Amino acid sequence: MSYKKIDKKAVKAWIIARTIFLVIFAAIYFIGIYGFLMPIINNTMERLIIHILTVIINGYLLLYAFLFPLIEYKEWKYSITEDKIELVHGIFVRKKIIIPISRLQFLDVNQGPIHRRYGLSTIRLNTAGGLHEIPALTNDEAEEISKNLASVVEAGESIEWCREK
């Protein structure tokens, strides 16, 4: 089976989004811990534990913001065939999701402000079993896929456009 990759610009978009999250989280965390909690703690051992947890949490968040997007990009792939959509992704646990096209209820294309800046879109595939996404596709690719999948969902047509050209 031939898989397609998401767009390389996904790495930059994910890093920016996660950095914004990291800054907001860090501000709230440091104000809460060092502004309110630490002044009322007198026990040296409790202070040490809080400092160690702070280092661990911030270390993980830095990895999440700057290293994980690179790994996620390498692991994310998808395939659309005549009868199914396959999504493969995951860093620690690799997930392979197979969605029969007959199970699609509706789909939509989303584009947040960061994705818009990089010309990327995310297709959300809604089934009775849940919501699945194909992230970080170029706008043209997302539009083509959504248009063709929508026609299949609505009319029950076969998928001629997904075959290798």
Side-chain angles (χ1 to χ4, degrees):
M1 172 162 300
S2 172
Y3 287 101
K4 294 182 181 179
K5 299 288 289 172
I6 59 176
D7 195 274
K8 177 77 174 155
K9 292 180 277 187
V11 174
K12 290 179 185 175
W14 288 340
I15 288 174
I16 290 170
R18 291 173 185 189
T19 301
I20 291 169
F21 167 78
L22 180 65
V23 168
I24 293 169
F25 176 84
I28 294 168
Y29 180 85
F30 283 107
I31 289 170
I33 296 295
Y34 293 99
F36 297 110
L37 187 60
M38 290 299 266
I40 62 173
I41 295 178
N42 296 323
N43 187 325
T44 306
M45 183 58 102
E46 290 174 355
R47 286 176 163 270
L48 179 63
I49 291 171
I50 290 173
H51 289 309
I52 290 171
L53 286 175
T54 298
V55 169
I56 291 170
I57 290 169
N58 286 313
Y60 176 79
L61 287 175
L62 288 171
L63 290 174
Y64 173 76
F66 298 107
L67 179 63
F68 287 7
L70 298 168
I71 299 169
E72 283 181 65
Y73 169 75
K74 290 179 182 176
E75 298 298 323
W76 237 112
K77 56 189 174 182
Y78 70 97
S79 174
I80 301 174
T81 62
E82 292 181 26
D83 58 343
K84 67 184 179 241
I85 300 167
E86 286 189 40
L87 310 173
V88 180
H89 60 92
I91 293 179
F92 298 113
V93 177
R94 179 172 289 227
K95 295 179 186 178
K96 182 175 185 177
I97 300 167
I98 300 171
I99 305 166
I101 291 193
S102 61
R103 300 287 187 208
L104 283 179
Q105 292 180 336
F106 66 95
L107 57 100
D108 58 321
V109 179
N110 291 323
Q111 188 181 48
I114 297 169
H115 277 99
R116 192 175 310 120
R117 175 165 161 58
Y118 288 99
L120 301 174
S121 294
T122 296
I123 295 180
R124 290 190 176 175
L125 308 163
N126 296 278
T127 66
L131 171 70
H132 306 284
E133 293 184 343
I134 306 175
L137 300 170
T138 63
N139 291 337
D140 293 338
E141 190 175 19
E143 188 63 36
E144 178 187 353
I145 290 170
S146 66
K147 184 178 114 186
N148 289 314
L149 282 176
S151 69
V152 170
V153 170
E154 290 171 4
E157 300 173 8
S158 68
I159 303 180
E160 299 294 327
W161 60 270
C162 70
R163 294 186 181 157
E164 291 290 326
K165 295 177 183 174

